Amino acid sequence: MSFKLITLVVIVLGILAIAQLVRVYELSSKLRNRREEDISNRDNKMNGNLMMLFSIIQYIGFIWLMLKYGWTGRGEAASVHGLETDWLLNLNFVIILIAFFATNSLLFYFSFKYVRKPGVKAYYFTHDNKLELIWTVIPAIVLAIIIILGLKTWNNITGESGKESIKIELFSKQFDWTARYSGEDNKLGYSDYKLTTQENELGLITTATLDSAIRLMEIGKLDGTVLGIQLLEEKLNNPKNIFVPEELVKMENDLDRKTRLLRLLVQMQKRHNKKMDARAFDDIIQKDTLHLCVNKEYEMSFRAKDVIHSAYFPHFRAQMNAVPGLVTRLKVIPNMTTQEMRIKKKNPKFNYVLMCNKICGGAHYKMKMIVVVDTPAQYKAWMKTKTNFKDVFLAKPVVTPATPVDGAVVADTSMMAVK
Amino acid sequence: MGALAHEAHGHHGAHDHHEHHDEGFVSKYIFSMDHKMISKQYLMTAVFMGLVAMLLSILFRIQLAWPGESSDFLTLFLGETWAPGGVLKENMYLGLVTIHGTIMVFFLLTGGLSGTFSNLLIPFQIGARDMASGFLNMLSYWMFFLSSTIMMISLFIETGPAMAGWTIYPPLSALPQAIEGSGLGMTLWLTSMSIFIASSLLGSLNYIVTVLNLRTKGMKMTRLPLTIWAFFVTAILGVLSFPVLLSAALLLLMDRSAGTSFYLSDIIVGGEMLENHGGSPLLYQHLFWFLGHPEVYIVLLPALGLSSEIIATNSRKPIFGYRAMIGSILAIGFLSFIVWGHHMFITGMNPFIGSVFVFTTLLIAIPSAVKVFNYLTTLWRGSLILTPAMLFAIGLVSTFISGGVTGIILADSALDIAVHDTYFVVAHFHVVMGMSAVFGMFAGVYHWFPKMYGKMLNTRLGYAHFWVTLIGAYGVFFPMHFVGLAGAPRRYYDYSVYGEFDTNSYEMIMDLNVVITVFAIIAAIGQGFFLFNFFYSIARGPKTVMNPWRSTTLEWTTPVEHIHGNWPGALPEVHRWPYDYSKPGQEEDFVSQIVPLAEGEEEAH
Ligand code: HEM
Ligand SMILES: [Cu+2]
Ligand SMILES: [Cu+2]
């Protein structure tokens, strides 16, 4: 309350003060018979000088910022392509800084030097083809160089990855990342979003996951946390339940949607080839940190579950969007272990990171994953501690009733409890 | 002065001289079809919207500088709903950023800038009595007003305004389950923008037709002031690109409410598995940026046009390379349609297509560079009169350079991959739009205020305003480049997350964020000089004369009092180009366009 009052008082006083100043100024103008559109030589000169002063202060501020923070405040690049990008970035910065300083200096100098002086008339100069040709051609040449070098680097960055490259997947959802290593066969198992269940968050396709997804869709979960078609129908048809109309409509729509999705799942099951199971089963799913091995080429692919996210590795100078319905890819060769970087940065707590860099909801800013670049030995040792998808998935039997006889009642009461 | 006045007088009794006497209040001030009044209406609306957007930016800047700390200022404006305990909510942070960006780009710099100055200057400078269609013009303003109102209302609804960024990429913008602002807030956003687009189309068509058809005798295209060229090309860009945004918005509306899958595919959100399959979020981005990039030139070209005029007038020199300036405007206009992909280098778009966009984008730098060099040469050996308008125009050139050069980094896909969507981008577009275009708008207001209101603005307050704004704005946006180069992603609510993995960057970002916010507050307070000056001078400013800046163009041959039809007598006839300043052999240091060539005098161009 007091804050509002103070603000109000300050604003009112400020306006009154300016009003008084303006009154005084107007009176004095009137006395001296000065009109607002006549800019006095003194004002002119003062503003010209201020222009010069401003440009000097601006340069000092800029150079100070550059010395203090450099043009890569995130430190040296930690990937092979990142080094190339940084080299090119530096070159481009040199070019644009020359352009910036040259033209800005001329601008401020001219506006200081050529302020109106009594008796000096402006020089009538309408055009000069030669001059104009020169300053069309010079930027054109410089830009041609920038384009050629840029495209060369771009092709290197986006080109095919080598046969030896390690395949991994980064799966994004609001608001975290999940990594999937391709296991011994170095092939990522296939996936489909319709197979997503609590036990199979990435929707990997195997005979077992298909089965369990279909069962879940057909029936639901015993504890009522997931309503399959059957549980939904029972709930709808149970005379004991009374629904408000909107809820009823929503449930009926749900039922229809699930029926259609089930049909698609069943079709998928029919097409499924058991031989493909191994491809997914040996994958390794990893949640909190992403471990990479130094100097290995990684072919990363990205998927998104809900909205667009973007995988941003600031220290590798690499970035790629993860788009629902699309698989995108990126090639990265980390070339400095976390340990080496910590020493370089003199910061024992430093870690590489994978950040989300596409607005994706309220907690967008927290959506990150620590990245650790290991030596080959460390990496191997770490990998040994991991369990593959098969063992994880089959260890947790899915809790759907095998026979849907009296499950209905159970589900129903648990549903009430949930509500 | 006498030379230009005599031409306009002496034609008393011409047709619509006395029509303006018996106008009612409503038709004069509210549903006016007069381009001068409509221009003032646009300006007022834009000033209001600009203020709101600036206030929003201060609100979220407070959060960025002092994350998690309680602020009375936030409570004052957002209350307990959106800032419980004086701390901004995550979702509302995004809401504020979204509406700030939307208002600044569309309402201040598209509607406001073009609307104000195209309306004011097109009829005046081409020698027309009004726009081709006064009625459509009026409709255009009122639709603008309606869309502004809807956008404002969306700030006050329970689930908050749109929160998906001003680019409203689906699926985030399509799914209310993903963020609360994508419910009613997004519906209002889309409604408002659809009306805005219709308004903009009506306005643009009118501008184009007027420029093509209503030029007075002797006003060849090559005698048009550069302002008109800029407005003309801007209007063409608008007509060609805004409909594409409208279609993008309509498809989005259908995805949201009719169950279509234009942009949606394979989504599970809020625990619900959606059936949508086969759509592509990239389609939306292509459609959006097909407008989005021309849009930045829709924002910038009018500002460049205004400053060309102001710089020539106040250097007392012809604009250097008039034809090259027209050529660059046309080249920029054309190229701006084939560069949109530079916003999508890392969306998963084919890298080869990316290369093509790198090429076309960097081509735009050439006409832009030509413009800068031409401005510099215009200043060279001029006799500069540093009015507030002139200062802002020079500021525009400076920021156009500073923002243009960083564009070269962003246009290069191999570099963009390192800085895309970071604060480096935010810094870049603020320097070109938030500074250049806004400076152009200020320059225009200071320069043409006498024409709009018949009064003079206070020069000293204008100076104070300029210097605080220049220093404040550079203080905000220069450090932002460094925050971006440190890798800070944009649209983050709280950068203290950096503390968890990189304390070096953490310190740098947090420090600079405080610096930026302090400068932002200074700049915002500095706008008080302008606001006071503006409203005070409308009410009590000293009366102006017919041609205060001793300018050559036609608007300064009209009487100070606004009248229907602009010229009391016959329309003026044009005999020369608009930049005869300090022409050798002339008595005065300017020769109005309506003065016939003397015997043996050569026309410049
Ligand atoms: C007081 C001066 C201003 C300040 C302090 C300011 C600050 C900011 C900040 C911090 C952001 C958020 C960036 C992000 O996280 O992505 C932003 C976004 C934006 N601003 Fe400003 N801004 C100012 C003036 C302007 C002006 C004059 C324009 C006119 C073009 C503008 C246009 C935008 C746009 C288009 C966005 C992007 C919104 C989005 O990400 O959806 N701003 N501004
Ligand atoms: Cu995200
Ligand atoms: Cu663009």
Side-chain angles (χ1 to χ4, degrees):
Chain A
M1 199 58 225
S2 67
F3 178 77
K4 283 185 201 175
L5 205 70
I6 295 172
T7 325
L8 204 71
V9 171
V10 169
I11 291 174
V12 169
L13 286 181
I15 292 178
L16 286 179
I18 299 182
Q20 281 313 310
L21 282 175
V22 171
R23 293 293 303 154
V24 171
Y25 169 80
E26 278 176 358
L27 285 177
S28 78
S29 299
K30 243 201 202 116
L31 282 179
R32 280 187 275 139
N33 209 1
R34 202 188 73 85
R35 297 194 51 87
E36 215 51 51
E37 61 268 25
D38 302 329
I39 310 293
S40 69
N41 284 337
R42 213 180 110 236
D43 280 2
N44 240 346
K45 194 89 204 112
M46 178 192 72
N47 280 295
N49 292 345
L50 281 177
M51 279 283 178
M52 207 60 216
L53 185 68
F54 173 78
S55 84
I56 292 168
I57 292 176
Q58 183 196 15
Y59 290 165
I60 292 175
F62 185 29
I63 291 168
W64 181 78
L65 277 168
M66 249 185 333
L67 291 180
K68 187 151 165 112
Y69 299 119
W71 51 52
T72 49
R74 51 189 130 170
E76 200 175 314
S79 77
V80 171
H81 294 115
L83 289 175
E84 200 176 337
T85 296
D86 269 9
W87 178 84
L88 193 67
L89 192 67
N90 289 348
L91 178 79
N92 275 266
F93 259 116
V94 171
I95 295 174
I96 68 171
L97 284 178
I98 292 172
F100 168 79
F101 278 114
T103 44
N104 248 322
S105 306
L106 284 180
L107 176 73
F108 285 112
Y109 177 66
F110 286 171
S111 33
F112 155 78
K113 169 102 197 283
Y114 294 109
V115 291
R116 181 188 56 199
K117 290 173 206 75
V120 180
K121 212 174 163 193
Y123 169 51
Y124 188 79
F125 187 34
T126 59
H127 68 282
D128 181 331
N129 292 342
K130 210 165 120 202
L131 265 182
E132 286 171 73
L133 192 68
I134 291 176
W135 64 52
T136 312
V137 170
I138 290 179
I141 293 173
V142 175
L143 286 167
I145 296 172
I146 291 180
I147 292 174
I148 291 168
L149 291 176
L151 291 186
K152 210 177 112 230
T153 306
W154 178 240
N155 284 339
N156 289 344
I157 294 175
T158 58
E160 290 292 318
S161 47
K163 278 214 186 71
E164 302 288 284
S165 65
I166 305 175
K167 314 278 184 293
I168 59 176
E169 178 187 73
L170 284 159
F171 181 82
S172 55
K173 69 175 210 297
Q174 285 177 334
F175 296 93
D176 56 33
W177 295 95
T178 309
R180 174 155 67 108
Y181 294 81
S182 49
E184 256 134 55
D185 60 357
N186 197 19
K187 281 185 194 135
L188 287 163
Y190 295 110
S191 62
D192 187 294
Y193 86 112
K194 292 189 288 297
L195 294 186
T196 311
T197 62
Q198 244 168 18
E199 295 72 27
N200 180 17
E201 286 187 60
L202 304 191
L204 301 192
I205 308 180
T206 64
T207 315
T209 53
L210 269 164
D211 272 357
S212 84
I214 288 177
R215 255 184 304 152
L216 198 68
M217 194 63 83
E218 276 177 336
I219 301 159
K221 260 194 193 170
L222 257 181
D223 58 7
T225 47
V226 180
L227 294 184
I229 293 166
Q230 187 181 332
L231 292 187
L232 252 176
E233 270 174 346
E234 275 158 11
K235 189 174 168 196
L236 268 169
N237 296 336
N238 189 338
K240 276 186 288 177
N241 288 340
I242 302 163
F243 302 104
V244 279
E246 294 93 69
E247 204 180 350
L248 198 64
V249 170
K250 188 171 176 308
M251 282 170 66
E252 278 167 355
N253 284 343
D254 258 8
L255 193 62
D256 291 348
R257 183 167 55 88
K258 293 201 165 166
T259 317
R260 287 189 297 264
L261 282 168
L262 178 65
R263 199 154 55 226
L264 293 173
L265 278 172
V266 172
Q267 283 171 4
M268 201 192 301
Q269 189 183 35
K270 288 203 181 109
R271 281 196 310 265
H272 180 68
N273 176 351
K274 270 207 171 78
K275 280 197 212 121
M276 298 319 310
D277 284 6
R279 192 167 163 143
F281 266 150
D282 74 340
D283 289 0
I284 290 166
I285 292 170
Q286 163 69 13
K287 284 220 105 138
D288 41 34
T289 43
L290 174 67
H291 280 256
L292 299 175
C293 182
V294 72
N295 290 328
K296 280 270 191 297
E297 185 175 37
Y298 282 91
E299 158 102 8
M300 300 182 172
S301 47
F302 302 93
R303 277 193 301 143
K305 180 178 180 182
D306 33 40
V307 300
I308 303 179
H309 302 271
S310 183
Y312 179 41
F313 299 91
H315 307 99
F316 301 156
R317 311 289 189 264
Q319 175 166 207
M320 180 52 72
N321 286 4
V323 184
L326 213 68
V327 177
T328 52
R329 56 172 289 279
L330 178 70
K331 188 170 73 172
V332 176
I333 312 173
N335 68 348
M336 214 190 288
T337 61
T338 300
Q339 206 49 45
E340 286 168 324
M341 193 54 136
R342 285 180 179 169
I343 293 169
K344 265 225 158 92
K345 290 189 91 136
K346 301 193 189 67
N347 181 355
K349 285 209 218 96
F350 170 84
N351 261 313
Y352 295 122
V353 70
L354 158 63
M355 304 170 100
C356 179
N357 198 13
K358 186 61 82 188
I359 181 173
C360 64
H364 167 51
Y365 69 104
K366 284 193 285 206
M367 180 171 163
K368 63 175 187 324
M369 188 182 205
I370 296 295
V371 178
V372 176
V373 178
D374 292 321
T375 60
Q378 286 169 327
Y379 184 75
K380 233 188 202 145
W382 174 79
M383 205 37 124
K384 280 227 174 78
T385 66
K386 296 284 133 188
T387 323
N388 66 22
F389 177 63
K390 180 176 187 185
D391 295 344
V392 175
F393 184 77
L394 297 181
K396 280 191 273 182
V398 183
V399 272
T400 39
T403 44
V405 199
D406 46 16
V409 182
V410 181
D412 210 83
T413 47
S414 66
M415 209 34 233
M416 303 310 269
V418 167
K419 277 180 115 184
Chain B
M1 174 78 72
L4 56 127
H6 91 267
E7 183 76 14
H9 287 293
H11 295 283
H12 279 293
H15 58 68
D16 49 6
H17 185 198
H18 48 246
E19 252 175 40
H20 64 286
H21 288 301
D22 39 43
E23 263 177 316
F25 176 83
V26 170
S27 66
K28 180 153 182 216
Y29 293 105
I30 301 177
F31 295 111
S32 169
M33 299 195 206
D34 188 290
H35 72 103
K36 304 180 283 293
M37 181 53 71
I38 292 177
S39 148
K40 289 195 264 187
Q41 291 172 329
Y42 265 111
L43 183 59
M44 283 296 171
T45 317
V47 166
F48 174 75
M49 293 301 273
L51 267 182
V52 172
M54 186 179 74
L55 176 68
L56 299 185
S57 76
I58 298 300
L59 295 177
F60 64 71
R61 278 282 3 150
I62 290 178
Q63 156 64 23
L64 288 179
W66 302 285
E69 284 176 37
S70 176
S71 152
D72 286 337
F73 194 72
L74 291 184
T75 323
L76 179 62
F77 285 99
L78 297 169
E80 283 300 310
T81 343
W82 294 114
V87 181
L88 186 58
K89 275 200 176 168
E90 288 171 353
N91 280 351
M92 195 52 172
Y93 173 83
L94 295 178
L96 295 178
V97 169
T98 301
I99 302 298
H100 160 80
T102 307
I103 293 183
M104 287 293 193
V105 173
F106 292 113
F107 291 84
L108 178 72
L109 290 177
T110 305
L113 179 57
S114 274
T116 305
F117 291 103
S118 296
N119 266 307
L120 180 73
L121 294 180
I122 288 178
F124 269 147
Q125 291 194 332
I126 67 173
R129 299 215 179 268
D130 206 322
M131 281 291 175
S133 166
F135 177 73
L136 287 188
N137 209 17
M138 175 188 84
L139 209 57
S140 159
Y141 169 73
W142 284 104
M143 288 173 90
F144 174 64
F145 183 82
L146 179 64
S147 70
S148 307
T149 313
I150 296 176
M151 197 55 85
M152 292 280 74
I153 288 173
S154 81
L155 280 170
F156 296 96
I157 59 177
E158 196 187 337
T159 48
M163 295 169 178
W166 78 282
T167 50
I168 59 154
Y169 281 4
L172 185 60
S173 58
L175 306 170
Q177 304 97 310
I179 192 167
E180 55 184 335
S182 291
L184 182 59
M186 183 58 68
T187 307
L188 289 178
W189 194 99
L190 289 168
T191 315
S192 162
M193 279 309 297
S194 303
I195 299 173
F196 176 89
I197 293 169
S199 147
S200 155
L201 285 177
L202 290 180
S204 300
L205 286 171
N206 222 340
Y207 307 150
I208 295 173
V209 173
T210 310
V211 172
L212 288 180
N213 290 326
L214 296 186
R215 280 168 289 133
T216 186
K217 186 148 178 264
M219 182 60 92
K220 296 185 284 192
M221 289 304 269
T222 48
R223 281 179 181 163
L224 285 175
L226 287 174
T227 33
I228 303 301
W229 267 106
F231 298 146
F232 180 60
V233 174
T234 302
I236 295 176
L237 296 188
V239 167
L240 293 180
S241 63
F242 265 117
V244 179
L245 180 64
L246 185 62
S247 59
L250 289 180
L251 297 189
L252 183 53
L253 273 172
M254 279 159 73
D255 271 6
R256 287 165 55 80
S257 52
T260 55
S261 311
F262 292 106
Y263 306 136
L264 305 178
S265 184
D266 299 8
I267 289 170
I268 301 177
V269 63
E272 190 176 325
M273 193 179 287
L274 306 185
E275 285 174 275
N276 306 72
H277 179 75
S280 167
L282 292 197
L283 169 63
Y284 173 84
Q285 297 180 20
H286 280 293
L287 294 175
F288 181 87
W289 288 113
F290 188 83
L291 157 92
H293 193 86
E295 169 64 21
V296 305
Y297 288 99
I298 290 174
V299 159
L300 204 62
L301 283 179
L304 292 173
L306 295 171
S307 60
S308 304
E309 191 65 21
I310 293 166
I311 287 180
T313 305
N314 290 300
S315 305
R316 315 309 293 165
K317 263 187 79 181
I319 193 85
F320 181 80
Y322 173 70
R323 301 241 164 173
M325 288 298 239
I326 297 176
S328 342
I329 293 178
L330 290 172
I332 289 176
F334 171 73
L335 287 174
S336 73
F337 276 102
I338 50 170
V339 300
W340 77 89
H342 61 216
H343 298 274
M344 300 175 60
F345 288 139
I346 57 148
T347 52
M349 187 175 72
N350 184 323
F352 173 73
I353 299 178
S355 314
V356 177
F357 283 117
V358 171
F359 179 71
T360 53
T361 305
L362 286 171
L363 276 187
I364 285 203
I366 298 173
S368 308
V370 169
K371 282 190 94 74
V372 168
F373 290 128
N374 284 358
Y375 283 132
L376 290 178
T377 318
T378 307
L379 294 173
W380 177 68
R381 292 184 65 184
S383 173
L384 309 188
I385 303 171
L386 297 176
T387 63
M390 181 66 167
L391 291 179
F392 272 108
I394 294 173
L396 172 147
V397 180
S398 161
T399 51
F400 187 51
I401 297 169
S402 315
V405 292
T406 52
I408 291 180
I409 304 275
L410 296 171
D412 204 337
S413 52
L415 305 178
D416 187 56
I417 195 168
V419 288
H420 181 80
D421 263 342
T422 66
Y423 259 79
F424 192 78
V425 178
V426 179
H428 159 75
F429 73 67
H430 276 95
V431 175
V432 273
M433 293 204 290
M435 294 180 76
S436 262
V438 170
F439 283 11
M441 185 158 180
F442 279 133
V445 173
Y446 279 102
H447 195 76
W448 279 282
F449 188 86
K451 197 73 257 169
M452 297 180 98
Y453 294 98
K455 306 277 179 63
M456 294 303 296
L457 282 168
N458 185 299
T459 314
R460 292 286 162 82
L461 285 180
Y463 287 152
H465 175 221
F466 170 74
W467 287 109
V468 177
T469 307
L470 185 74
I471 293 167
Y474 260 131
V476 170
F477 300 120
F478 240 111
M480 261 190 205
H481 291 94
F482 289 87
V483 176
L485 289 172
R490 65 191 284 205
R491 293 164 173 169
Y492 266 29
Y493 163 79
D494 181 353
Y495 290 87
S496 41
V497 290
Y498 265 82
E500 293 166 41
F501 53 85
D502 188 347
T503 42
N504 312 51
S505 298
Y506 169 80
E507 271 160 34
M508 158 178 185
I509 293 172
M510 297 313 275
D511 285 355
L512 285 180
N513 266 345
V514 174
V515 173
I516 292 172
T517 299
V518 170
F519 273 111
I521 293 172
I522 294 174
I525 292 174
Q527 303 315 303
F529 289 120
F530 171 73
L531 288 177
F532 178 85
N533 198 359
F534 185 71
F535 290 109
Y536 181 89
S537 303
I538 289 176
R540 322 195 29 174
K543 211 167 162 337
T544 181
V545 292
M546 197 191 232
N547 189 359
W549 315 120
R550 300 158 55 77
S551 212
T552 55
T553 40
L554 296 182
E555 75 272 29
W556 305 108
T557 64
T558 62
V560 172
E561 286 296 325
H562 285 177
I563 56 170
H564 245 327
N566 296 343
W567 284 267
L571 287 175
E573 194 179 320
V574 169
H575 299 282
R576 57 178 74 230
W577 78 324
Y579 295 107
D580 268 343
Y581 290 104
S582 305
K583 194 171 188 183
Q586 302 285 342
E587 230 171 89
E588 296 259 15
D589 69 352
F590 71 106
V591 188
S592 172
Q593 284 192 280
I594 60 178
V595 176
L597 291 173
E599 198 127 344
E601 187 188 353
E602 238 181 86
E603 190 187 357
H605 51 250

